[in-house]
Amino acid sequence: MNIERFDDEHALAEALATRVLQAILVNPALVLGLPTGRTPLALYRELRERSAIDWSGVRTFNLDEFAGLAGDHPGSYRAFMQAELFDHVSIRPENIGMLDGRAPDLRAECRRYEAAIAACGGIDLQILGIGANGHIGFNEPADGLCAHTHIAELEQQTREANAQRFGGDWTAVPERALSMGMATILGARNIVMIATGAEKAEAVRAMVEGLITTQVPASFLQVHRRVDVMLDDDASRLLTL
Ligand code: PGA
């Protein structure tokens, strides 16, 4: 894992936005894996501000989506992505890959997503956040992890972390979600993990310096050959390496 430290989340976001936009310039048909949450907000702000870049050939796949929510529900990740990025850049709607949390057959929806990623030739650059519990996507700490896109039961901590978009009420956050699996994520050719803030420091330490364990799903990134971990000072403060 290649560790990169930044003074603050803005410096990190600027550097990552530059990397994403350069990747698009080099490969206008870039296949980009995208996260939601608090951490990538600064990145999406940077990308919006540099929206002159041509996104019309870019394809995206988001990591996850809540089960049972329509795309226009304000708590859905589809709504988040439209507001934070997709409505502001020249990406074609048909090139946006999102899981449909309202699909009548959620297992079939998971299979459709895997096939859609494969049909694009796989993900070139996957951007990831990390949960304070070490999750990536909605791959929560467990005795075993799913390889492929699947229906995930969410931990209370994860639902609490998402409560802000549900009127502050964590019980209103869906109990289930659809998520890329570990093999879906690790199948990306390049991975950039971003983490900011002291509340991520322990998860970052476990991801980078701990043993590989299903109790810290992000620790599996250690087996991937091309992972850059971009951290602010607070998130990196427990690293000893
Ligand atoms: P956050 O979520 O950016 O809102 O902290 C990260 C994650 O859970 O993957």
Side-chain angles (χ1 to χ4, degrees):
M1 290 172 132
N2 173 47
I3 311 295
E4 297 176 34
R5 291 181 168 88
F6 296 85
D7 288 342
D8 56 43
E9 67 171 346
H10 302 292
L12 188 162
E14 267 180 32
L16 181 52
T18 298
R19 175 168 174 173
V20 169
L21 295 175
Q22 277 175 349
I24 294 171
L25 288 173
V26 169
N27 176 11
L30 190 76
V31 183
L32 197 52
L34 294 174
T36 48
R38 178 191 55 82
T39 315
L41 286 172
L43 168 66
Y44 294 144
R45 188 182 322 118
E46 281 292 323
L47 292 174
R48 289 199 301 271
E49 285 173 5
R50 299 193 230 168
S51 61
I53 294 285
D54 180 9
W55 285 70
S56 63
V58 175
R59 288 162 295 180
T60 62
F61 289 95
N62 263 82
L63 281 165
D64 42 24
E65 178 60 285
F66 291 111
L69 296 189
D72 59 359
H73 186 291
S76 74
Y77 286 161
R78 159 67 82 165
F80 173 101
M81 289 305 304
Q82 291 297 144
E84 297 298 331
L85 182 66
F86 297 151
D87 286 345
H88 309 276
V89 296
S90 55
I91 191 164
R92 292 180 202 270
E94 62 272 27
N95 287 351
I96 296 171
M98 296 281 313
L99 284 152
D100 178 2
R102 288 279 292 266
D105 180 343
L106 292 178
R107 286 173 188 269
E109 173 63 2
C110 293
R111 289 193 295 273
R112 178 196 70 78
Y113 208 59
E114 288 285 328
I117 293 169
C120 284
I123 292 171
D124 294 308
L125 174 59
Q126 175 71 55
I127 301 168
L128 289 176
I130 185 170
N133 65 0
H135 76 198
I136 48 176
F138 279 135
N139 297 279
E140 300 276 35
D143 290 341
L145 301 173
C146 293
H148 298 111
T149 303
H150 59 283
I151 304 167
E153 306 288 332
L154 302 185
E155 287 196 355
Q156 181 173 327
Q157 183 183 11
T158 299
R159 294 171 71 203
E160 287 171 354
N162 280 276
Q164 196 195 339
R165 296 177 65 80
F166 293 83
D169 175 11
W170 73 267
T171 64
V173 179
E175 293 172 14
R176 297 193 308 162
L178 307 182
S179 176
M180 287 186 191
M182 299 301 293
T184 329
I185 293 170
L186 292 169
R189 282 181 275 282
N190 298 277
I191 296 176
V192 176
M193 156 62 72
I194 54 175
T196 56
E199 68 277 16
K200 300 292 175 67
E202 177 53 35
V204 167
R205 189 205 58 74
M207 166 179 71
V208 175
E209 298 184 359
L211 295 173
I212 296 169
T213 166
T214 59
Q215 298 300 334
V216 182
S219 65
F220 279 80
L221 296 177
Q222 293 176 30
V223 305
H224 195 284
R225 286 175 188 277
R226 303 189 67 170
V227 178
D228 295 311
V229 182
M230 301 175 76
L231 306 169
D232 72 355
D233 275 349
D234 286 340
S236 68
R237 68 181 186 179
L238 296 180
L239 292 181
T240 58
L241 297 177

